[in-house]
Amino acid sequence: MYVFSRFARPSLRIGLLVASFFSTLTADAFDLAGGDLKVHGFVSQGLVHTTDNNFLGESDGQVSHDFREIGVNASWRLVPDIQLSAELLSHRAGGTDDGSVRLDYGLVDWTALSSEHGRAGLRLGRLKTAYGLYNKTRDVAFTRPSIILPQSIYFERTRNLTVSADGAELYAERYGETGSLTASFALGEPKTQTEAAKVALFLSSPPGELEARLAPDLQLLYEGAGNRYRLAFTALQLDLSYRPGTVDRLRAGRFKLTPLIFSGQYNAERWSLTGEYAIRRTSVSGFGPYFPDSHAVGQSYYLQASYRFAPQWEVLLRYDAFYADMHDRDGKAFAAATRQPAFSRFARDWTTGIRFDVTPEFMLRAEYHRVNGTGFLAAQDNPDVHTLRRRWDMVMFLASFRF
């Protein structure tokens, strides 16, 4: 009853605001040039309230509206074998992203080989990173299973490092009676020229610059007939170098992250079961005494179930776990060495949510999170780690419109 009373009044206010914001919107997608040019878009507004700590803005004891996504994308098939695609995006996420408009992706897709049994080709430009089941479409709320993706795999605080890269991607797809197999290999430069990227790594914004080597990205995806089964494996490596500023307490150092992600999903007529498991090897070296060398193997996983109990309604239940170091799961060794909270090294999140598709273009969502640990919180929203609380609750609402 105590938790409910803390949320009841803010929740009602949030729900009324979200519903009134989008209740009158309707639109259709634009197909031009005989259907060869397609233009789509979306806008999502989220509201967040937490009992303690801040997530996606100043949400501790108040309502944060600093979670917003606005995008317009277009695809144009020049000839049967060549397609151009691009998207402009404004993404607002508390202190980690200011909502400035940027090119989210922009690419040329050349299908070099094509038959009834499959196709193969090459993509060039700014590419969406293949990372688990959801990363390529994570900004479109209709494609997500929940308001926010599982933070053990798809961190909001490091989103800019993994969402896209500038480079090339080879892909091949094979179709059969039992399903399809897709393989892709990309080589691209991650986006590191942001304050958010530096804070995600150093928990502060030093005056130097991050530079990225070309990052390899491999994904294998099998989809059973009728999309009933989905199995995937993703391997990615980020290799970042730091060039110190004029007055800088950090030395020239190197940061390496190698996540391996195993994904699985089963879809029935009314329900779906999804799980992903990740091992992340991290290496920090050369930054000097203010950012000591370290090596760790992180572990993340989640299991979620969704049930469509009516044509326009869906409910969700998920357990999500993150450990920065699988050999120090409770963070006690880290706390003893740094005098920082042990619970900042892990997070375990129980989530329940509901989705209502008012129309095919307009969606409402609500979620409740019960969290133990602060491992996925952003330093920009929580600058003083000693004010964090281990156990906290969060309620979220989202309205999303697409055309």
Tab-separated table of all heavy atoms in Angstrom, residues 130-133 153-154 218-220 232-236 258-263 275-280 300 302:
chain	number	residue	atom	x	y	z
A	130	ALA	N	24.052	-3.973	-35.652
A	130	ALA	CA	23.389	-5.221	-35.279
A	130	ALA	C	23.837	-5.585	-33.873
A	130	ALA	O	25.017	-5.870	-33.638
A	130	ALA	CB	23.746	-6.328	-36.269
A	131	TYR	N	22.900	-5.548	-32.920
A	131	TYR	CA	23.229	-5.746	-31.513
A	131	TYR	C	22.005	-6.339	-30.833
A	131	TYR	O	21.061	-5.628	-30.481
A	131	TYR	CB	23.607	-4.400	-30.896
A	131	TYR	CG	24.174	-4.454	-29.498
A	131	TYR	CD1	25.539	-4.601	-29.296
A	131	TYR	CD2	23.357	-4.349	-28.389
A	131	TYR	CE1	26.067	-4.637	-28.014
A	131	TYR	CE2	23.865	-4.392	-27.107
A	131	TYR	CZ	25.228	-4.523	-26.927
A	131	TYR	OH	25.744	-4.564	-25.649
A	132	GLY	N	21.986	-7.660	-30.700
A	132	GLY	CA	20.816	-8.301	-30.125
A	132	GLY	C	19.625	-8.245	-31.069
A	132	GLY	O	19.762	-8.020	-32.277
A	133	LEU	N	18.444	-8.437	-30.510
A	133	LEU	CA	17.222	-8.505	-31.318
A	133	LEU	C	16.629	-7.139	-31.637
A	133	LEU	O	15.901	-6.998	-32.621
A	133	LEU	CB	16.157	-9.341	-30.594
A	133	LEU	CG	16.455	-10.828	-30.397
A	133	LEU	CD1	15.337	-11.476	-29.588
A	133	LEU	CD2	16.614	-11.532	-31.739
A	153	ILE	N	21.094	-5.232	-21.330
A	153	ILE	CA	21.653	-5.434	-22.671
A	153	ILE	C	21.729	-4.122	-23.432
A	153	ILE	O	22.748	-3.800	-24.059
A	153	ILE	CB	20.805	-6.451	-23.471
A	153	ILE	CG1	20.632	-7.767	-22.701
A	153	ILE	CG2	21.422	-6.686	-24.845
A	153	ILE	CD1	21.867	-8.602	-22.597
A	154	TYR	N	20.650	-3.327	-23.389
A	154	TYR	CA	20.522	-2.122	-24.213
A	154	TYR	C	20.570	-0.878	-23.322
A	154	TYR	O	19.557	-0.224	-23.091
A	154	TYR	CB	19.219	-2.154	-25.003
A	154	TYR	CG	19.001	-3.411	-25.806
A	154	TYR	CD1	18.288	-4.489	-25.280
A	154	TYR	CD2	19.496	-3.535	-27.099
A	154	TYR	CE1	18.069	-5.649	-26.014
A	154	TYR	CE2	19.286	-4.691	-27.841
A	154	TYR	CZ	18.572	-5.741	-27.283
A	154	TYR	OH	18.363	-6.892	-28.018
A	218	LEU	N	29.486	-8.769	-36.001
A	218	LEU	CA	28.998	-9.984	-36.661
A	218	LEU	C	27.685	-10.410	-36.042
A	218	LEU	O	27.558	-10.448	-34.813
A	218	LEU	CB	30.022	-11.113	-36.516
A	218	LEU	CG	29.557	-12.521	-36.942
A	218	LEU	CD1	29.367	-12.588	-38.459
A	218	LEU	CD2	30.555	-13.582	-36.477
A	219	GLN	N	26.714	-10.746	-36.895
A	219	GLN	CA	25.455	-11.282	-36.381
A	219	GLN	C	24.937	-12.401	-37.273
A	219	GLN	O	24.948	-12.285	-38.510
A	219	GLN	CB	24.364	-10.216	-36.269
A	219	GLN	CG	23.096	-10.742	-35.589
A	219	GLN	CD	22.058	-9.670	-35.317
A	219	GLN	OE1	21.351	-9.244	-36.219
A	219	GLN	NE2	21.968	-9.221	-34.069
A	220	LEU	N	24.475	-13.474	-36.637
A	220	LEU	CA	23.799	-14.580	-37.297
A	220	LEU	C	22.390	-14.649	-36.727
A	220	LEU	O	22.207	-14.657	-35.505
A	220	LEU	CB	24.527	-15.905	-37.048
A	220	LEU	CG	25.987	-15.975	-37.480
A	220	LEU	CD1	26.599	-17.304	-37.052
A	220	LEU	CD2	26.114	-15.785	-38.985
A	232	ALA	N	19.527	-15.842	-32.401
A	232	ALA	CA	20.559	-14.942	-32.911
A	232	ALA	C	21.810	-15.014	-32.052
A	232	ALA	O	21.760	-15.312	-30.847
A	232	ALA	CB	20.047	-13.505	-32.955
A	233	PHE	N	22.939	-14.733	-32.699
A	233	PHE	CA	24.221	-14.573	-32.017
A	233	PHE	C	24.862	-13.296	-32.545
A	233	PHE	O	24.925	-13.068	-33.756
A	233	PHE	CB	25.142	-15.766	-32.280
A	233	PHE	CG	26.556	-15.530	-31.820
A	233	PHE	CD1	26.871	-15.534	-30.475
A	233	PHE	CD2	27.568	-15.280	-32.746
A	233	PHE	CE1	28.175	-15.301	-30.046
A	233	PHE	CE2	28.871	-15.054	-32.335
A	233	PHE	CZ	29.173	-15.064	-30.975
A	234	THR	N	25.332	-12.443	-31.625
A	234	THR	CA	25.969	-11.182	-31.998
A	234	THR	C	27.324	-11.075	-31.310
A	234	THR	O	27.442	-11.359	-30.113
A	234	THR	CB	25.106	-9.974	-31.575
A	234	THR	OG1	23.768	-10.135	-32.049
A	234	THR	CG2	25.687	-8.686	-32.131
A	235	ALA	N	28.331	-10.657	-32.061
A	235	ALA	CA	29.663	-10.405	-31.508
A	235	ALA	C	30.128	-9.034	-31.990
A	235	ALA	O	30.109	-8.751	-33.190
A	235	ALA	CB	30.656	-11.486	-31.942
A	236	LEU	N	30.528	-8.183	-31.063
A	236	LEU	CA	30.926	-6.813	-31.370
A	236	LEU	C	32.175	-6.479	-30.564
A	236	LEU	O	32.350	-6.976	-29.443
A	236	LEU	CB	29.790	-5.855	-31.008
A	236	LEU	CG	30.027	-4.357	-31.154
A	236	LEU	CD1	30.146	-3.976	-32.623
A	236	LEU	CD2	28.893	-3.572	-30.506
A	258	THR	N	34.161	-6.095	-25.476
A	258	THR	CA	33.801	-7.157	-26.417
A	258	THR	C	32.575	-7.896	-25.883
A	258	THR	O	32.705	-8.816	-25.073
A	258	THR	CB	34.957	-8.149	-26.611
A	258	THR	OG1	36.143	-7.435	-26.979
A	258	THR	CG2	34.622	-9.162	-27.696
A	259	PRO	N	31.378	-7.495	-26.304
A	259	PRO	CA	30.180	-8.220	-25.881
A	259	PRO	C	29.829	-9.359	-26.843
A	259	PRO	O	29.958	-9.220	-28.067
A	259	PRO	CB	29.094	-7.138	-25.906
A	259	PRO	CG	29.549	-6.158	-26.929
A	259	PRO	CD	31.051	-6.233	-26.972
A	260	LEU	N	29.402	-10.466	-26.280
A	260	LEU	CA	28.848	-11.593	-27.015
A	260	LEU	C	27.420	-11.791	-26.533
A	260	LEU	O	27.190	-11.947	-25.330
A	260	LEU	CB	29.670	-12.864	-26.784
A	260	LEU	CG	31.170	-12.797	-27.085
A	260	LEU	CD1	31.843	-14.114	-26.715
A	260	LEU	CD2	31.413	-12.464	-28.549
A	261	ILE	N	26.462	-11.789	-27.467
A	261	ILE	CA	25.052	-11.824	-27.091
A	261	ILE	C	24.375	-13.023	-27.744
A	261	ILE	O	24.468	-13.220	-28.966
A	261	ILE	CB	24.329	-10.533	-27.527
A	261	ILE	CG1	25.051	-9.298	-26.980
A	261	ILE	CG2	22.880	-10.539	-27.055
A	261	ILE	CD1	24.510	-8.001	-27.499
A	262	PHE	N	23.676	-13.801	-26.933
A	262	PHE	CA	22.894	-14.939	-27.403
A	262	PHE	C	21.414	-14.607	-27.187
A	262	PHE	O	21.005	-14.268	-26.077
A	262	PHE	CB	23.274	-16.205	-26.640
A	262	PHE	CG	24.727	-16.558	-26.737
A	262	PHE	CD1	25.658	-16.011	-25.845
A	262	PHE	CD2	25.180	-17.419	-27.723
A	262	PHE	CE1	27.002	-16.325	-25.939
A	262	PHE	CE2	26.525	-17.746	-27.829
A	262	PHE	CZ	27.428	-17.200	-26.937
A	263	SER	N	20.626	-14.699	-28.255
A	263	SER	CA	19.227	-14.256	-28.216
A	263	SER	C	18.297	-15.363	-28.672
A	263	SER	O	18.629	-16.136	-29.584
A	263	SER	CB	19.027	-13.028	-29.121
A	263	SER	OG	19.999	-12.033	-28.893
A	275	GLY	N	14.306	-14.123	-24.480
A	275	GLY	CA	15.419	-14.040	-23.549
A	275	GLY	C	16.708	-13.725	-24.287
A	275	GLY	O	16.898	-14.133	-25.436
A	276	GLU	N	17.586	-12.987	-23.632
A	276	GLU	CA	18.914	-12.701	-24.176
A	276	GLU	C	19.943	-12.777	-23.043
A	276	GLU	O	19.660	-12.409	-21.898
A	276	GLU	CB	18.954	-11.328	-24.842
A	276	GLU	CG	18.068	-11.223	-26.073
A	276	GLU	CD	18.300	-9.964	-26.876
A	276	GLU	OE1	19.166	-9.990	-27.775
A	276	GLU	OE2	17.621	-8.961	-26.611
A	277	TYR	N	21.127	-13.264	-23.409
A	277	TYR	CA	22.207	-13.438	-22.438
A	277	TYR	C	23.481	-12.862	-23.051
A	277	TYR	O	23.784	-13.122	-24.220
A	277	TYR	CB	22.399	-14.924	-22.126
A	277	TYR	CG	23.549	-15.229	-21.197
A	277	TYR	CD1	23.383	-15.165	-19.823
A	277	TYR	CD2	24.803	-15.569	-21.711
A	277	TYR	CE1	24.439	-15.449	-18.970
A	277	TYR	CE2	25.865	-15.851	-20.864
A	277	TYR	CZ	25.675	-15.786	-19.488
A	277	TYR	OH	26.725	-16.061	-18.648
A	278	ALA	N	24.205	-12.075	-22.267
A	278	ALA	CA	25.404	-11.417	-22.782
A	278	ALA	C	26.582	-11.591	-21.831
A	278	ALA	O	26.427	-11.514	-20.608
A	278	ALA	CB	25.155	-9.930	-23.015
A	279	ILE	N	27.723	-11.823	-22.414
A	279	ILE	CA	29.006	-11.787	-21.713
A	279	ILE	C	29.794	-10.612	-22.286
A	279	ILE	O	29.929	-10.488	-23.506
A	279	ILE	CB	29.795	-13.094	-21.916
A	279	ILE	CG1	29.108	-14.246	-21.187
A	279	ILE	CG2	31.227	-12.943	-21.429
A	279	ILE	CD1	29.211	-14.182	-19.681
A	280	ARG	N	30.302	-9.733	-21.423
A	280	ARG	CA	31.021	-8.546	-21.883
A	280	ARG	C	32.410	-8.512	-21.242
A	280	ARG	O	32.539	-8.355	-20.021
A	280	ARG	CB	30.273	-7.261	-21.495
A	280	ARG	CG	28.905	-7.107	-22.100
A	280	ARG	CD	28.246	-5.831	-21.584
A	280	ARG	NE	28.424	-5.703	-20.143
A	280	ARG	CZ	27.687	-6.344	-19.247
A	280	ARG	NH1	26.721	-7.149	-19.634
A	280	ARG	NH2	27.910	-6.190	-17.954
A	300	SER	N	25.052	-10.265	-18.262
A	300	SER	CA	23.718	-9.677	-18.343
A	300	SER	C	22.742	-10.691	-18.914
A	300	SER	O	23.116	-11.502	-19.771
A	300	SER	CB	23.715	-8.436	-19.252
A	300	SER	OG	24.605	-7.453	-18.791
A	302	TYR	N	18.114	-11.340	-19.452
A	302	TYR	CA	16.724	-11.068	-19.100
A	302	TYR	C	15.845	-12.162	-19.690
A	302	TYR	O	16.198	-12.836	-20.662
A	302	TYR	CB	16.274	-9.689	-19.593
A	302	TYR	CG	16.063	-9.582	-21.091
A	302	TYR	CD1	14.840	-9.907	-21.682
A	302	TYR	CD2	17.097	-9.159	-21.925
A	302	TYR	CE1	14.655	-9.824	-23.050
A	302	TYR	CE2	16.922	-9.066	-23.289
A	302	TYR	CZ	15.704	-9.398	-23.853
A	302	TYR	OH	15.514	-9.323	-25.212
